[in-house]
Amino acid sequence: MDVRDSTTVQDDVEKTSSRVLEMLALKGKVTEAGAMIAPCSDYEDEEHVYRAHHPWSVYGVPFADMQKAFDHLRDELPKNGWRIVKDGVDGSVAKSPQIVAESSEGEFAVDVRLHRANKAENAPELIEVTVESACFKEK
């Protein structure tokens, strides 16, 4: 397991998120939250083992454009060094389309979901993205 500086890992995850947004090629509103550091659940018994994760969403564009961007991402990820490990639906009641991919070096994973509007929950149409780093030990 790599020993890394958490600030550097956060920066790398945010840069990776930016590349995923570029691959989506969707001009919508993007949530502003930055990458966060949290304990790595894969190593619950060890101290000082962390993972950076960066959840964000794209919204405010027609659903058809989101579908097109989601499909475009499916094509672009492998061209940009990612291996798709899941391409189907998530486990939600809505069965939202989901793509999970890992970077070729295994440094990052991305989970992308396409959500339809849900009026009962007052939830808008959006593409939800979470980029995570591999687990690392803090310097």
Side-chain angles (χ1 to χ4, degrees):
M1 174 179 322
D2 290 343
V3 176
R4 301 192 61 200
D5 173 67
S6 61
T7 302
T8 302
V9 176
Q10 282 177 289
D11 290 346
D12 290 347
V13 166
E14 289 177 3
K15 288 176 189 169
T16 301
S17 284
S18 293
R19 287 194 294 272
V20 171
L21 180 59
E22 289 170 8
M23 284 186 265
L24 277 169
L26 182 65
K27 300 294 183 203
K29 297 177 184 175
V30 180
T31 55
E32 295 293 327
M36 300 167 275
I37 299 294
C40 187
S41 60
D42 296 348
Y43 295 89
E44 289 176 357
D45 296 337
E46 292 187 43
E47 290 186 37
H48 310 292
V49 178
Y50 302 98
R51 164 180 277 147
H53 66 279
H54 187 204
W56 51 276
S57 299
V58 182
Y59 62 99
V61 296
F63 190 75
D65 292 350
M66 289 185 200
Q67 285 179 308
K68 184 177 177 183
F70 191 84
D71 292 339
H72 183 71
L73 183 65
R74 179 181 289 115
D75 295 334
E76 288 299 309
L77 284 166
K79 292 177 187 175
N80 286 275
W82 292 81
R83 182 175 58 94
I84 295 176
V85 296
K86 179 180 180 182
D87 188 352
V89 295
D90 66 10
S92 70
V93 173
K95 298 195 180 318
S96 298
Q98 177 185 30
I99 297 171
V100 178
E102 296 173 350
S103 63
S104 57
E105 322 82 40
E107 278 188 75
F108 305 102
V110 64
D111 182 335
V112 185
R113 299 169 196 228
L114 176 62
H115 297 286
R116 287 197 171 274
N118 183 331
K119 294 191 189 329
E121 295 178 9
N122 197 28
E125 297 171 334
L126 56 85
I127 294 178
E128 173 189 11
V129 179
T130 302
V131 176
E132 288 189 331
S133 72
C135 295
F136 66 95
K137 285 195 176 197
E138 177 67 52
K139 268 189 179 179

